[in-house]
Structure formats: structure tokens, C-alpha cells
Amino acid sequence: MAPAQVLEEAKAADRAFSARSTSEGMGKAFTAWAAEDAVLPLGSAGIFGHDAIAKAYAPFTLDKIDLRWEPVLGDAAGSGDLAYTVGRAVATGKNEQGQPEVDHVKYLTVWRRQADGQWRYVADGGNSSPGPQGP
């Protein structure tokens, strides 16, 4: 399979992942799209594995945060089973005083095709971006 075609499949998975976040909430999306051995390198220790991600992300409901994103670029292996996407995201929520707060994020997601043919992320992370035009 041509790497460009593999990348398009991974980008489509990334867009579907975002759509799930906007329709059902970030917590449900990050749980649904995680591979069993997924890693989120967050905080001092990171989050390792599907069950740990589900537990850590359960509080991130749609009424608390609206996280949406779009892949901008990436690449894929010619083997057809591995790809990465890089993109920009917008997180809308409320600060401690209850006031609306918007954060722009740039992200990197590593995707692996599963045995059933579905794409799932195996690593995902992001950080603040200077604005809506990042990365």
C-alpha cells in the first residue's frame, strides 16, 4: 500500500476521533480510539494502557470541555500499519472562576492499524500553541 494512501486512512481516523470528541466528549473519544497498549506521555508518569486512559479521561465530559482538532500533516509506513498525524486543536472550557477559556494546542498522534483493520492511536500528546494557525 502506498504511504500516501495509508496516511489518508490515518487522517480519516484522526478526523473521526475528533468528531467523537465533539459529539460524545473528550473522555469517551480518547477511550474509544485508544489501542490496548496506548500511551499518553502526560504529567510526571504518563498514562499507560487503555484501561488507565479510560479512568483518567472519564471526567472530561462534553459539558466540561469541548476539544476538537484537525490533522494538518503526517506520514506513514509503506507496510501499511503505522502512521502519524500532526495537527491543531482548540479546547474550550471554563477557568476556575467559571469564565470561558480557549486554548490552542498542537498535537502529534501515532496510529497503528489493528488486527481487525481499524486504526487506533498508540501514542498521543500535545502542547500549547501560540494560536489557531499552529503547528
Side-chain angles (χ1 to χ4, degrees):
M1 185 177 285
Q5 183 181 352
V6 176
L7 177 58
E8 285 310 310
E9 289 182 11
K11 282 183 172 180
D14 202 353
R15 287 189 287 272
F17 180 21
S18 177
R20 183 113 183 223
S21 179
T22 59
S23 68
E24 296 181 31
M26 176 183 163
K28 288 184 179 182
F30 271 79
T31 300
W33 284 89
E36 285 300 319
D37 58 348
V39 175
L40 299 175
L42 304 171
S44 60
I47 304 170
F48 298 90
H50 185 274
D51 293 344
I53 291 168
K55 183 178 178 182
Y57 274 62
F60 298 113
T61 58
L62 198 52
D63 62 321
K64 302 240 188 295
I65 186 168
D66 178 343
L67 179 66
R68 56 189 64 218
W69 59 90
E70 178 69 24
V72 176
L73 56 94
D75 203 358
S79 60
D81 62 348
L82 195 63
Y84 73 87
T85 53
V86 175
R88 54 182 160 254
V90 177
T92 305
K94 294 184 179 175
N95 64 19
E96 292 177 8
Q97 292 76 36
Q99 299 300 310
E101 186 172 71
V102 176
D103 291 315
H104 296 277
V105 178
K106 56 184 178 269
Y107 72 88
L108 168 69
T109 304
V110 179
W111 296 90
R112 184 176 64 219
R113 187 187 310 271
Q114 305 299 292
D116 65 1
Q118 299 295 311
W119 287 95
R120 294 292 179 255
Y121 73 85
V122 292
D124 183 80
N127 61 352
S128 293
S129 174
Q133 297 307 314

